[in-house]
Amino acid sequence: QWQLVESGGALVQPGGSLRLSCAASGFTLDYYTLGWFRQVPGKDPEGVSCIRTSGMNPRYADSVKGRFTVSRDNAKGTMYLQMNNLRPEDTGAYYCAAEWGADPDICTDIPRAGLYSYWGQGTQVTVSS
């Protein structure tokens, strides 16, 4: 069964760190562009970061540049999001998403949710003191 499963969300204090994981089952990630999105109630998903099939030139939203790092391990079928120096405004449900192919328009500085066909169920990140 085709599935993306996120994990690693938690309650953390401002300035803290978390590492999110997105594991694929039922398919291989090698030929998919991958993205991280976050959503708060009442708002559309916001693109956080994305990484192309090659793993090179990952993209980040301005709000997370210098604090978040995306990576992928195709052999393990997993994508990661290392989040450092977390802020209260980083709070939200974090989703990983996948789209077949290496079209560079799928992964830009502002990843667009509508370009990704496959989604996980989300993991909650809450940054609060």
Side-chain angles (χ1 to χ4, degrees):
Q1 181 179 358
W2 193 102
Q3 204 172 9
L4 287 172
V5 180
E6 302 95 335
S7 61
L11 170 64
V12 63
Q13 292 187 343
S17 297
L18 284 175
R19 187 194 197 201
L20 304 184
S21 298
C22 171
S25 63
F27 71 106
T28 57
L29 288 179
D30 301 46
Y31 304 110
Y32 287 81
T33 298
L34 305 173
W36 284 102
F37 296 81
R38 64 188 178 194
Q39 188 173 26
V40 296
K43 292 191 175 182
D44 292 332
E46 172 193 10
V48 174
S49 181
C50 56
I51 187 166
R52 297 171 179 167
T53 55
S54 66
M56 299 178 65
N57 298 321
R59 295 291 190 263
Y60 301 94
D62 286 345
S63 59
V64 307
K65 280 180 181 175
R67 301 187 298 121
F68 290 13
T69 303
V70 65
S71 60
R72 63 191 294 165
D73 186 336
N74 289 343
K76 294 184 178 179
T78 304
M79 173 177 62
Y80 305 96
L81 186 68
Q82 177 67 42
M83 305 187 296
N84 297 328
N85 192 20
L86 282 161
R87 304 168 180 170
E89 55 264 38
D90 294 319
T91 294
Y94 281 70
Y95 297 88
C96 65
E99 179 61 23
W100 172 268
D103 183 347
D105 289 340
I106 300 173
C107 181
T108 62
D109 286 347
I110 306 177
R112 291 189 289 154
L115 296 180
Y116 291 77
S117 300
Y118 307 101
W119 291 77
Q121 85 292 344
T123 185
Q124 180 66 33
V125 172
T126 302
V127 185
S128 175
S129 55

